[in-house]
């Protein structure tokens, strides 16, 4: 078989039908499938939120149990700025390659990788704090040393009302018996939630009035009805939050892998076919802009609204 | 659509969402009286201004690069 027969057509020059080289056409087809993927998840978010019982979705200022305090808005805002900046550096990398300036092109590609890694590091801290924070539910108020440490919320039910008592905090130590079963948890409770009275109705009147520091308490299985961290199983909101941001994070990671590959192997490709290399960086840039756009929609939808 | 054209779309979306978040921050501050949404709103308006300036700079810098 001759070399001409195995050559990929329209690798660098535009195809007469699509008016773009095949690599770019391929990445746009891929991005179309990505729009469907994230579109389906955004639709799921909307349906879950619209169907959520009143007072159970974390809205800023509302007296929910897993409220907006589980979301770190400043960190998410920082990540938004990081990703927007990375899109600019990605564009500049392609631009300098088009100007035949390989050094600057690779420098901006390296900056994009560093910014992407910063995003992932910030995301790690955000996830870590949620996965180590627990919500405990009780049927009755939890009283320690004569002081009530839990706070309560009352929800309307088909038969009237139901009051649930809650405690947030961290497990500092898990004490097990000889058979390996949990005997009790040492639990550092968060300060009790203050009343939420920012013009919202609903459960605002059922919160306990005072906020303060709590001592470490012992929680034995059977003392509580449910204990869950703020992870995907914590609530419907945390479930969709981790699904959307986790999938987005995987896309970031995928982009980083591709960019690191080009950083390491770009030199040899540039020497042989500089236009082809610039095209590949353009395709990577298209993907990267899409991933950044997804985050720019995720930030207000998940963290603010 | 080239990376230049997609970047222009990106800049416009960032600009619009920054303005939206800014308006949201002002509104939440007025309704709830909380301080931090206002700070976020002001930061978003600043981001929108920076994005607008950047958009003009980017269009000038990549004037000779094709949109196709």
């Amino acid at each position: 078989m001759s070399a001409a027969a195995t050559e990929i057509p329209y690798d660098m020059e535009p195809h007469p039908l699509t008016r773009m080289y095949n690599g770019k056409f391929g990445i746009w087809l891929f991005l179309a499938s990505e729009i469907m993927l994230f579109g389906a998840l955004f639709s799921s978010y909307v349906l879950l939120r619209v169907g959520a019982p009143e007072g159970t979705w974390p809205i800023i200022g509302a007296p929910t149990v897993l409220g907006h305090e589980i979301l770190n808005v400043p960190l998410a805002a920082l990540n938004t700025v990081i990703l927007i900046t990375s899109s600019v550096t990605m564009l500049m990398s392609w631009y300098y390659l088009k100007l035949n300036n390989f050094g600057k092109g690779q420098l901006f590609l390296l900056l994009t990788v560093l910014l992407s890694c910063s995003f992932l590091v910030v995301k790690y801290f955000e996830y870590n704090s949620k996965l180590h924070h627990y919500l405990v539910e009780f049927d009755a108020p939890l009283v320690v040393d004569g002081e009530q440490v839990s706070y309560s919320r009352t929800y309307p039910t088909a038969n009237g009302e139901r009051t649930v008592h809650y405690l947030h905090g961290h497990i500092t130590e898990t004490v097990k018996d000889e058979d390996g079963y949990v005997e009790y948890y040492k639990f550092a409770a968060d300060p009790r939630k203050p009343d939420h009275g920012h013009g919202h109705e609903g459960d605002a009147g059922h919160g306990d009035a005072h906020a303060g520091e709590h001592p470490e308490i012992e929680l034995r299985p059977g003392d509580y009805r449910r204990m869950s961290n703020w992870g995907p199983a914590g609530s419907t909101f945390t479930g969709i939050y981790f699904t959307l941001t986790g999938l987005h994070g995987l896309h970031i990671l995928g982009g980083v892998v591709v960019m690191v590959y080009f950083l390491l192997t770009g030199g040899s490709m540039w020497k042989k076919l500089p236009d082809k290399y610039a095209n590949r960086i353009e395709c990577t840039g298209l993907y990267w802009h899409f991933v950044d756009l997804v985050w720019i929609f995720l930030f207000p939808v998940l963290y603010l609204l | 659509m080239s990376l230049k054209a997609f970047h222009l779309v990106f800049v416009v979306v960032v600009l619009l969402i920054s303005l939206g978040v800014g308006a949201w921050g002002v509104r939440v501050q007025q309704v709830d009286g909380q301080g931090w949404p206002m700070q976020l709103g002001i930061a978003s308006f600043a981001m929108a201004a920076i994005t607008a300036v950047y958009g003009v700079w980017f269009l000038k810098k990549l004037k000779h690069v094709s949109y196709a």
Side-chain angles (χ1 to χ4, degrees), chain A residues 24 28 60-61 73 84 87-88 91-92 94-96 198 200 282 285-286 289-290 292-293 296-297 304, chain B residues 1-4 6-7 10 13-14 17 21 24 28 32 34 36 40 47 54 57-58 61-62 65 68:
Chain A
K24 196 194 283 189
W28 275 114
I60 288 171
V73 177
I84 291 170
S87 280
V88 174
L91 176 89
M92 296 317 290
W94 172 68
Y95 171 69
Y96 279 111
H198 303 299
H200 290 269
E282 184 182 18
L286 289 170
H289 275 63
F290 171 79
D292 292 356
L293 272 179
I296 284 164
F297 283 103
L304 303 181
Chain B
M1 187 189 279
S2 73
L3 183 56
K4 180 187 174 183
F6 198 28
H7 191 73
F10 179 81
V13 171
V14 169
I17 289 193
V21 171
W24 171 87
V28 170
D32 282 354
Q34 298 186 54
W36 71 264
L40 183 67
M47 184 74 188
Y54 166 76
W57 175 84
F58 145 74
K61 190 162 179 74
L62 274 73
V65 178

Side-chain angles (χ1 to χ4, degrees), chain A residues 176-187:
Chain A
K176 295 183 177 177
D177 61 17
E178 292 171 350
D179 299 324
Y181 293 105
V182 173
E183 199 169 331
Y184 63 89
Y185 297 103
K186 285 187 178 175
F187 195 82

Side-chain angles (χ1 to χ4, degrees), chain A residues 3-293:
Chain A
T6 56
E7 194 175 297
I8 299 171
Y10 305 108
D11 198 16
M12 284 180 282
E13 73 279 14
H15 191 285
L17 289 177
T18 62
R19 286 188 242 172
M20 58 179 87
Y21 57 89
N22 279 350
K24 196 194 283 189
F25 186 61
I27 199 79
W28 275 114
L29 285 179
F30 173 67
L31 292 183
S33 74
E34 290 284 273
I35 289 169
M36 288 184 261
L37 173 66
F38 279 101
L41 286 170
F42 269 105
S43 304
S44 305
Y45 170 89
V46 171
L47 289 172
L48 288 169
R49 179 166 176 167
V50 169
E54 193 181 337
T56 59
W57 200 266
I59 304 166
I60 288 171
T64 51
V65 175
L66 281 178
H68 79 275
E69 69 273 10
I70 74 165
L71 300 170
N72 197 325
V73 177
L75 274 187
L78 172 68
N79 258 352
T80 306
V81 174
I82 286 173
L83 278 194
I84 291 170
T85 311
S86 77
S87 280
V88 174
T89 55
M90 190 75 226
L91 176 89
M92 296 317 290
S93 171
W94 172 68
Y95 171 69
Y96 279 111
L97 290 175
K98 295 283 278 184
L99 293 180
N100 286 321
N101 191 334
F102 179 72
K104 275 196 173 177
Q106 292 295 85
L107 176 67
F108 277 105
L109 191 61
L110 176 65
L111 280 175
T112 312
V113 170
L114 292 176
L115 287 165
S116 330
C117 291
S118 309
F119 176 90
L120 290 174
V121 168
V122 171
K123 208 73 211 156
Y124 164 78
F125 283 112
E126 227 188 315
Y127 275 9
N128 194 46
S129 73
K130 286 177 182 57
L131 295 174
H132 288 90
H133 219 117
Y134 284 79
L135 172 70
V136 193
E137 292 180 20
F138 302 91
D139 289 320
L142 183 68
V143 178
V144 176
D145 297 333
E147 188 199 353
Q148 183 182 325
V149 295
S150 61
Y151 68 95
S152 61
R153 294 281 180 267
T154 300
Y155 303 102
T157 64
N159 303 321
E161 288 184 332
R162 176 172 151 261
T163 300
V164 183
H165 303 270
Y166 296 104
L167 189 65
H168 287 266
H170 297 83
I171 294 174
T172 54
E173 189 183 347
T174 304
V175 179
K176 295 183 177 177
D177 61 17
E178 292 171 350
D179 299 324
Y181 293 105
V182 173
E183 199 169 331
Y184 63 89
Y185 297 103
K186 285 187 178 175
F187 195 82
D190 289 349
R192 198 192 307 171
K193 276 191 168 187
D195 251 348
H196 293 77
H198 303 299
H200 290 269
E201 294 180 358
D203 297 331
H206 299 286
D208 298 309
H210 304 292
E213 294 293 336
H214 292 148
E216 194 173 71
I217 56 177
E218 290 181 6
L219 284 177
R220 297 174 187 279
D223 288 352
Y224 52 85
R225 187 166 62 186
R226 179 177 181 250
M227 180 191 281
S228 170
N229 64 7
W230 291 354
S235 70
T236 306
F237 172 76
T238 56
I240 194 76
Y241 166 84
F242 274 95
T243 304
L244 278 165
T245 59
L247 185 66
H248 177 264
L250 285 175
H251 278 74
I252 294 281
L253 192 61
V256 170
V257 170
V258 171
M259 285 186 276
V260 168
Y261 171 77
F262 284 136
L263 273 176
L264 297 176
T265 65
S268 57
M269 196 187 297
W270 177 260
K271 281 174 194 165
K272 291 177 206 164
L273 295 162
D275 286 344
K276 187 172 178 176
Y277 183 64
N279 285 351
R280 287 192 171 191
I281 294 299
E282 184 182 18
C283 290
T284 310
L286 289 170
Y287 168 81
W288 194 250
H289 275 63
F290 171 79
V291 173
D292 292 356
L293 272 179

Side-chain angles (χ1 to χ4, degrees), chain A residues 80-81 84-85, chain B residues 14-15 18 41-53:
Chain A
T80 306
V81 174
I84 291 170
T85 311
Chain B
V14 169
L15 182 65
S18 299
I42 292 168
S44 296
F45 281 131
M47 184 74 188
I50 292 167
T51 306
V53 172

